[in-house]
Amino acid sequence: MKVREDRIEVTVECARPGVLHEHVGWITAGMNLRLRTALAAAARSRGWSAPQDDEQERILKQISALPTATVDTIPARKRLAATQDEIEQQREYVARLHGQVEALRETGTESEPAQEALAALERAIRELSELETERAAAEHALEQKRERQRRLNDIRDERLALEDRAANVARAAREHLVVQLEDEFERTIETVPGAIRFGFNDHDDDDDNPVTAALAMAQLGVLEAPVVLECERFVSAQAAAEWMDAPAILL
């Protein structure tokens, strides 16, 4: 755990900070505290659970099992477009050669130029056939990628629905834990040193109130790593630790 004061960085060897530390690990005036989320975290730190936990775990497993791959259709589209361009050019070439052969045939000659033109036409037709086969393959490859993209779009929609459901279940679990601990929190608020009395729903009315709420959370929850206190509520780190029943660092 690292603590910074001005430009001095202090490293403290301690237990790994738990979930409650995300909310009350550093208590300072004007801090941003999401009260209900923090109160649920305090309940979790005690080892409490909610009836929604099993459902939440199932949903999260479903989400993690969904593929996250993406499909890039750009190369396949470029390949198809390039092949189509080559086919158009080859068709024009075949048409020119065909015209030359027909013109030579009309003269009734079997000259070497006529034979060469006919051979060139046959080669050009074979090449055109090969290009058309290549285009068919490119079209098939692109359609496969598009079908894969459609399936992934369906999976994305499923993921969004599951994530929305998970968020709703998480909120329900949080509210369950808040209700279980709310009365004890209100009683603890009354005992916080230097606190201005306030209710559960009006803790944001004063910059000092989040500090009071955070200190109450710290006492209610189980904290093994130190809490950093940058507030004038305790005369010493020892006094803070004794009141919170948790390690404390006083800045």
Side-chain angles (χ1 to χ4, degrees):
M1 178 179 180
K2 293 184 178 180
V3 180
R4 285 195 173 190
E5 183 177 9
D6 294 329
R7 295 184 179 179
I8 301 175
E9 185 176 283
V10 179
T11 300
V12 179
E13 293 186 4
C14 61
R16 181 182 297 275
V19 63
L20 184 54
H21 269 85
E22 297 177 11
H23 306 280
V24 302
W26 177 32
I27 300 177
T28 183
M31 64 185 293
N32 181 25
L33 181 69
R34 298 173 61 190
L35 183 59
R36 304 185 80 82
T37 303
L39 193 57
R44 294 285 188 190
S45 74
R46 290 180 165 190
W48 292 9
S49 60
Q52 298 83 1
D53 290 349
D54 288 343
E55 182 182 3
Q56 178 78 341
E57 184 178 357
R58 285 195 299 272
I59 296 172
L60 293 178
K61 284 183 178 179
Q62 286 180 274
I63 293 173
S64 65
L66 293 175
T68 57
T70 59
V71 175
D72 184 5
T73 61
I74 293 177
R77 286 190 282 115
K78 286 184 175 179
R79 176 190 172 195
L80 179 59
T83 303
Q84 186 62 44
D85 289 342
E86 289 184 52
I87 287 174
E88 293 301 324
Q89 293 174 11
Q90 191 68 13
R91 281 176 177 170
E92 292 176 2
Y93 180 51
V94 168
R96 288 197 303 271
L97 289 175
H98 190 271
Q100 292 175 14
V101 169
E102 288 299 315
L104 290 170
R105 281 177 176 173
E106 289 177 0
T107 64
T109 63
E110 295 295 333
S111 63
E112 184 176 345
Q115 295 299 319
E116 289 177 353
L118 181 60
L121 175 60
E122 291 173 347
R123 287 195 302 272
I125 291 174
R126 286 195 300 271
E127 290 173 3
L128 178 59
S129 177
E130 291 171 0
L131 285 171
E132 288 174 339
T133 300
E134 185 178 341
R135 179 182 61 182
E139 288 175 340
H140 180 66
L142 178 58
E143 181 55 33
Q144 283 186 318
K145 285 185 176 293
R146 285 174 171 166
E147 177 59 30
R148 173 66 173 161
Q149 184 63 63
R150 285 190 286 269
R151 290 197 299 269
L152 289 176
N153 288 342
D154 292 340
I155 291 171
R156 180 199 60 194
D157 292 342
E158 181 182 359
R159 178 185 297 278
L160 291 174
L162 285 171
E163 288 174 347
D164 186 57
R165 183 180 167 195
N168 290 334
V169 171
R171 280 191 291 270
R174 182 195 67 190
E175 290 307 308
H176 172 85
L177 294 169
V178 167
V179 169
Q180 303 305 306
L181 201 54
E182 185 174 351
D183 289 343
E184 190 176 349
F185 171 77
E186 293 284 6
R187 292 192 297 270
T188 304
I189 281 286
E190 301 291 337
T191 70
V192 176
I196 299 174
R197 190 179 185 279
F198 64 93
F200 186 76
N201 293 316
D202 59 4
H203 68 283
D204 288 329
D205 292 342
D206 187 274
D207 285 345
D208 209 33
N209 285 344
V211 171
T212 299
L215 289 170
M217 301 285 182
Q219 190 190 71
L220 286 172
V222 176
L223 295 164
E224 296 183 0
V227 177
V228 179
L229 302 174
E230 194 174 0
C231 56
E232 298 179 357
R233 297 296 188 92
F234 300 97
V235 296
S236 67
Q238 181 178 351
E242 290 175 354
W243 186 86
M244 294 187 299
D245 192 23
I249 297 173
L250 204 62
L251 299 182

